[in-house]
Amino acid sequence: MTNHSPTARRIAKTILNGFDAYFADFQNITLGAKARFETASWQAVHHANKERIDIYKTKVMQVLKLVHSVTSKDTTELAIWREARATFAQLIANHNNYEIAETFFNSVFCNQFRHAHIHDSNIFVKSSRAPDEKPLRDYSIYISYSGRDGLEYMIEDILNDYGFSVPWEDLPRDVENICRVLREGPLAALQNEKQLRVDMLESVFYRNKAAYLVGRMMFGGEVIPLLLPCLNNGRGGVFVDTVLHSNDSASIIFSFTRSYFMVDAPIPSRFVRFLSTIMPLKERSELYNSIGFHKHGKTEFYRHILAHMKVSNDKFIIAPGIKGMVMSVFTLPSYPVVFKVIKDKFDRPKTVTEAIVREKYKFVSRSDRVGRMADTQEYSNFIFYRNRFSPELLEELQEVAPSKLEMDDKWVIIKHLYVERRMEPLNLYLQHASDEETREAMEEYGNAIKQLAAANIFPGDMLLKNFGVTRHGRVVFYDYDELCPLTDCHFRKIPEAHTAEQELSDQPWYTVDEADVFPEEFRLFFSGNPTARKAFEDEHSDLYDYRYWQRLQERIRAGHIESAFPYRRAWRFKRQSARKAKGGS
C-alpha cells in the first residue's frame, strides 16, 4: 500500500466513516418499511420516503464539516484531495459497497469545491475497479425453488417464506390465481413443471401501499420475471393482487416515473445485477435509482454517457417540439434522455423565478410520482465536447442561458442542468396517431391528471406539449414550473355573465386570484384537435367540473391516500375465496 500523508489518511477515513454512518441510517429507515406496510401506516410511508432522500445531503454536509476539523491544513488545496482520493481507493478496496462509497466521496469533494475541478485525479469520475460481470450466484440474496412437487406447492412455499407478521387473507385462493395465470401465460409451453426453477429475492420491495415479491422463472434457457404485488386489506390481512411476468411489466414497476422502493439491500450492486437479468434493457443507473440510491444513479448515468460519447458521433440538438418558456431543452438523438437548462429570462407570460423553478423540481424529487412524473437528475458543471454541439443549439444556449455557460475551443460546461428520460411530446404524438391510438392516449392523459391529483399534485399547465408518451404508451407529465400541491388550489365555477358586454369580453369580468383554477377552461387544451377532445371527453369529462376537484381536496385533507396501481386494473385478481369459487359454503 502506498503511504500517503497523515492529513490525506484522516480525510479519507473521515469520509469513509461518514459513508458507513449514512448507509446505516439509510438501512434503518428502509427496514421500517415492513412495519409500515403491515400496519397500513400510509402517511408514515410518505414521511419516511422524504426523510431517506434528505439524509444524504445532511450527512455529506456533516462529513465536510468534520473534514475541516480533522486537519489544520488548507482544505481548498487540490493536492490534499488527490492524496485523499488515492487513500480512499485503498480503504474501500475490499468494501462491499465501494461504488456507492466512491459517489459519497465525490459528493463531499463537490460540496467543498462547488462542483469545480471535476477530474478523475480528484474524484472518482471512473470507478476504482471494474464491475464484477461474473454470473450472479449469490444465494445470500435469493432463494431457489424447484417445481419438482408441482407448481402449487412451489408457489405456496414462496408465499409462506415471506415473513409478514399479518396473515394471508386467503392463501389457497392466491396460489390458485397465480398458478392459473402462469399456466395460461409464460408456462403454457412448459410440458413438465418439474423442469421449472424460480429464484426469489429474499427482501421485499415496498413502495406506497404495496409490497412486491420479486424473482425470476427459469426453464429451457429462458429467464422470465416473476413479480407478485401484495396489498394490505386494512383488516389485518395481506393478499396477492396480481402476477406480472413480462419484461415490459417489470420495467413499468421499476419505472423512472415512480417513487423509489424501500428494500433491504445490504449490498445494492448484487440486487442491481439480479434485477438486470429480468430487465436487460434497463441501465444500471435506473436500477440504482429505483432502490433509492439516486445519487449513485447519477454517477452511473454520467459514466454511461461518457462511454456512449466515445462510440457515437452524432451531435446534441435542440429537442423536437414546441419550445418552452422556462427551459431550453436539448438531446442527443442516439441517447434516450433530454437535458434541460433554465433560461436566464423567462418568456412572457411566465412570472416564476429560477429559484421557484428549482424548488418545483426539488418538490417532484420528494413526491409520490405515481408513475406519472419523470424522475429528474440535477447536475452542476456538466462537461461536454464543444464539437458535439450543433451550431443551432450553441446559438440558442448563448442567447437564452448565457449565465449557465462556460466555453472554450474544446469544452462546453453547463453550470446547472436537469436530465430526464426522453419521451415523445403528446402533441407531436397525436399528429401521427391513429384514431385508436388517439383514444388510448387521451384516456392515458386523463388518467395521468387524475392520478397526480389524487397524489396531491396539480400540474398547473396541462397543455398537451407538457406531457410525453413513453415506449410503453404511458402518458407522463414532465414540465414542473407551475405544479403545486392540489390542496393549494382554489377550484371555481366561472360566474355567469350578466350582460352582453361581459359575455363577449375577451377578459374576465370577475375577479381572479392567483390560486384560482377554472376547470371549465381545460377544454382549451384541445384547440385544433377535435378528435382528441372528443376522446378525452368520452372518458374524462368529470375533470371539467370544479366539484370533482373540490371533493378530491376534501379526501386529501382528511388524510386519505389513494391507491395507484402500476399495472392494469383488469389484471387484478378477483378476491372471491377459493372455497366459494368451488361451490363451498
Side-chain angles (χ1 to χ4, degrees):
M1 177 182 287
T2 305
N3 288 323
H4 295 115
S5 70
T7 295
R9 289 198 296 274
R10 281 197 297 273
I11 290 175
K13 287 180 180 178
T14 298
I15 296 175
L16 183 55
N17 288 340
F19 166 72
D20 288 336
Y22 152 73
F23 197 88
D25 289 346
F26 181 99
Q27 284 290 90
N28 286 336
I29 295 172
T30 300
L31 289 170
K34 179 176 184 288
R36 290 188 287 271
F37 170 75
E38 291 169 345
T39 57
S41 303
W42 309 132
Q43 293 287 354
V45 167
H46 288 281
H47 176 76
N49 285 337
K50 294 176 182 177
E51 182 185 7
R52 197 178 69 166
I53 288 170
D54 289 339
I55 60 170
Y56 188 90
K57 180 73 172 179
T58 300
K59 188 61 71 175
V60 165
M61 298 312 295
Q62 288 175 353
V63 169
L64 182 56
K65 189 175 180 180
L66 285 172
V67 165
H68 294 156
S69 71
V70 298
T71 178
S72 59
K73 301 287 186 181
D74 184 358
T75 53
T76 64
E77 289 290 329
L78 280 174
I80 291 175
W81 286 89
R82 291 192 189 105
E83 271 199 273
R85 179 211 181 279
T87 305
F88 194 83
Q90 293 175 346
L91 292 176
I92 62 173
N94 296 310
H95 198 292
N96 280 333
N97 294 318
Y98 72 93
E99 77 284 16
I100 305 177
E102 291 171 350
T103 290
F104 193 85
F105 181 97
N106 293 353
S107 296
V108 175
F109 178 93
C110 287
N111 276 275
Q112 169 69 50
F113 290 100
R114 298 181 181 273
H115 297 271
H117 312 297
I118 305 298
H119 190 276
D120 197 50
S121 61
N122 301 325
I123 64 172
F124 296 93
V125 174
K126 301 173 185 174
S127 183
S128 58
R129 66 192 218 223
D132 186 0
E133 301 295 349
K134 297 176 185 175
L136 182 67
R137 293 189 177 89
D138 190 341
Y139 298 104
S140 67
I141 69 168
Y142 66 80
I143 299 175
S144 289
Y145 298 85
S146 167
R148 64 180 177 271
D149 295 322
L151 188 61
E152 280 80 6
Y153 281 104
M154 182 172 66
I155 297 299
E156 185 172 347
D157 282 347
I158 289 171
L159 296 181
N160 280 326
D161 279 348
Y162 286 96
F164 294 120
S165 62
V166 290
W168 292 101
E169 179 183 83
D170 188 335
L171 186 63
R173 176 201 65 201
D174 290 349
V175 170
E176 185 176 301
N177 284 334
I178 294 166
C179 292
R180 184 188 72 254
V181 171
L182 293 181
R183 285 181 175 131
E184 291 173 354
L187 304 186
L190 181 61
Q191 295 181 346
N192 185 355
E193 291 178 354
K194 293 181 180 180
Q195 298 172 349
L196 177 65
R197 184 182 117 197
V198 172
D199 296 334
M200 298 297 296
L201 287 168
E202 274 198 272
S203 297
V204 179
F205 288 66
Y206 296 96
R207 185 175 62 205
N208 300 335
K209 290 182 168 184
Y212 295 81
L213 316 183
V214 177
R216 61 192 179 192
M217 299 178 285
M218 289 175 288
F219 63 92
E222 287 193 76
V223 178
I224 300 170
L226 178 61
L227 279 72
L228 302 173
C230 303
L231 302 182
N232 187 318
N233 65 13
R235 303 184 302 277
V238 174
F239 62 94
V240 179
D241 197 42
T242 188
V243 55
L244 305 171
H245 51 75
S246 70
N247 294 119
D248 280 352
S249 60
S251 182
I252 290 171
I253 296 294
F254 285 83
S255 171
F256 64 93
T257 64
R258 299 198 176 275
S259 305
Y260 307 136
F261 280 109
M262 294 256 179
V263 54
D264 178 18
I267 306 178
S269 61
R270 295 181 183 174
F271 282 72
V272 166
R273 289 176 62 198
F274 184 97
L275 294 171
S276 293
T277 66
I278 61 173
M279 293 173 283
L281 296 180
K282 275 212 182 291
E283 297 297 339
R284 289 165 56 90
S285 59
E286 265 194 82
L287 293 173
Y288 274 107
N289 289 344
S290 72
I291 59 174
F293 296 97
H294 58 288
K295 291 294 184 182
H296 186 65
K298 282 178 63 174
T299 301
E300 291 284 347
F301 168 79
Y302 190 70
R303 290 170 179 166
H304 191 270
I305 195 169
L306 289 180
H308 178 80
M309 295 290 286
K310 292 180 180 179
V311 297
S312 62
N313 55 20
D314 54 335
K315 292 183 182 292
F316 290 94
I317 60 171
I318 299 170
I322 300 171
K323 290 186 179 181
M325 298 178 182
V326 171
M327 296 280 196
S328 177
V329 185
F330 65 94
T331 189
L332 187 68
S334 63
Y335 203 78
V337 301
V338 293
F339 301 84
K340 304 170 74 169
V341 182
I342 301 176
K343 295 179 179 181
D344 288 354
K345 292 182 180 179
F346 300 157
D347 300 343
R348 300 176 72 179
K350 291 289 185 180
T351 58
V352 294
T353 64
E354 178 170 334
I356 290 174
V357 172
R358 291 195 186 207
E359 276 301 310
K360 301 289 188 184
Y361 276 78
K362 184 178 179 181
F363 172 75
V364 169
S365 72
R366 284 154 177 74
S367 298
D368 177 6
R369 295 190 296 278
V370 295
R372 297 299 184 178
M373 290 194 294
D375 193 12
T376 302
Q377 298 283 15
E378 185 177 11
Y379 289 87
S380 298
N381 294 330
F382 205 108
I383 302 171
F384 301 88
Y385 284 105
R386 179 169 179 158
N387 64 4
R388 297 297 292 271
F389 275 62
S390 69
E392 297 80 8
L393 174 57
L394 269 183
E395 182 180 346
E396 172 169 310
L397 291 174
Q398 288 172 304
E399 178 184 346
V400 303
S403 73
K404 308 293 191 305
L405 294 183
E406 285 185 12
M407 292 193 301
D408 59 25
D409 292 341
K410 187 176 182 181
W411 305 108
V412 172
I413 300 175
I414 299 183
K415 297 178 184 177
H416 181 263
L417 59 74
Y418 297 100
V419 177
E420 282 178 10
R421 172 64 69 86
R422 185 173 66 222
M423 292 170 274
E424 185 174 11
L426 180 55
N427 61 309
L428 298 186
Y429 176 86
L430 292 174
Q431 290 177 9
H432 61 75
S434 66
D435 287 350
E436 178 63 18
E437 289 169 336
T438 297
R439 188 193 64 76
E440 291 176 356
M442 287 300 95
E443 182 180 359
E444 272 285 291
Y445 170 64
N447 287 338
I449 294 170
K450 287 178 175 177
Q451 288 169 9
L452 287 171
N456 198 23
I457 295 169
F458 183 64
D461 190 346
M462 294 192 292
L463 291 171
L464 300 181
K465 71 181 183 68
N466 295 330
F467 290 77
V469 183
T470 72
R471 65 186 177 92
H472 299 294
R474 290 181 62 82
V475 171
V476 173
F477 181 58
Y478 55 57
D479 193 316
Y480 305 145
D481 55 87
E482 289 194 15
L483 65 74
C484 65
L486 187 81
T487 47
D488 287 356
C489 299
H490 181 210
F491 292 97
R492 294 176 56 191
K493 178 177 175 57
I494 296 176
E496 291 186 15
H498 296 296
T499 67
E501 289 80 6
Q502 288 179 344
E503 194 163 348
L504 296 173
S505 174
D506 59 356
Q507 295 295 324
W509 62 90
Y510 44 88
T511 59
V512 180
D513 293 331
E514 187 175 347
D516 285 347
V517 178
F518 300 93
E520 295 158 86
E521 296 179 338
F522 295 170
R523 291 180 174 87
L524 299 175
F525 300 145
F526 303 104
S527 58
N529 196 329
T531 304
R533 176 171 169 171
K534 183 179 184 311
F536 179 82
E537 292 177 351
D538 285 346
E539 294 285 340
H540 300 295
S541 59
D542 50 352
L543 290 175
Y544 296 154
D545 188 340
Y546 71 98
R547 290 167 296 189
Y548 170 89
W549 299 90
Q550 290 178 348
R551 287 192 294 268
L552 194 52
Q553 287 178 314
E554 290 171 7
R555 287 170 63 83
I556 293 169
R557 289 179 180 130
H560 181 78
I561 295 178
E562 296 284 347
S563 299
F565 300 99
Y567 41 85
R568 294 185 182 278
R569 288 179 181 267
W571 295 353
R572 299 185 65 198
F573 294 146
K574 292 187 170 47
R575 302 212 0 240
Q576 186 179 15
S577 75
R579 287 187 65 200
K580 287 183 179 178
K582 293 175 180 175
S585 59

